[in-house]
Amino acid sequence: MAKLNLVLILAVLASGVVLVHSAYESRRLFAELDRAKADGQRLAADAERLAAERHAQATNLRVEQVARERLGMRVITPSVVASGVNP
């Protein structure tokens, strides 16, 4: 009878340790999942912001402004085209 009691006590202790470990892992995984969801939302917001910035940079007015300021380009006139001379 004493051996049976000892085996049962050890079984209860072992199941308690397993239960505590399982609860700990569950909380850890839930926190990791929560962090991953937050990272995903942050990355989605960044992607949206970058797409909006790319769209703003690609507007016709912006491209024309960059062409004039950085590249020194200018609007071509019919007189320049007809003569083929650079003024």
Side-chain angles (χ1 to χ4, degrees), residues 11-84:
V12 167
L13 289 175
S15 68
V17 168
V18 169
L19 179 65
V20 168
H21 179 69
S22 174
Y24 171 77
E25 282 297 311
S26 174
R27 284 192 298 273
R28 187 184 65 78
L29 290 173
F30 183 77
E32 188 176 326
L33 177 65
D34 200 31
R35 275 193 302 274
K37 283 182 181 178
D39 286 346
Q41 289 173 348
R42 182 183 51 80
L43 289 173
D46 285 348
E48 234 176 90
R49 180 184 53 80
L50 289 172
E53 285 180 14
R54 183 182 63 209
H55 179 70
Q57 292 292 324
T59 62
N60 290 339
L61 293 175
R62 175 74 178 144
V63 170
E64 189 174 332
Q65 177 188 15
V66 169
R68 281 192 182 129
E69 292 175 0
R70 290 189 192 164
L71 302 176
M73 299 176 89
R74 57 184 160 50
V75 178
I76 195 162
T77 62
S79 63
V80 173
V81 173
S83 68

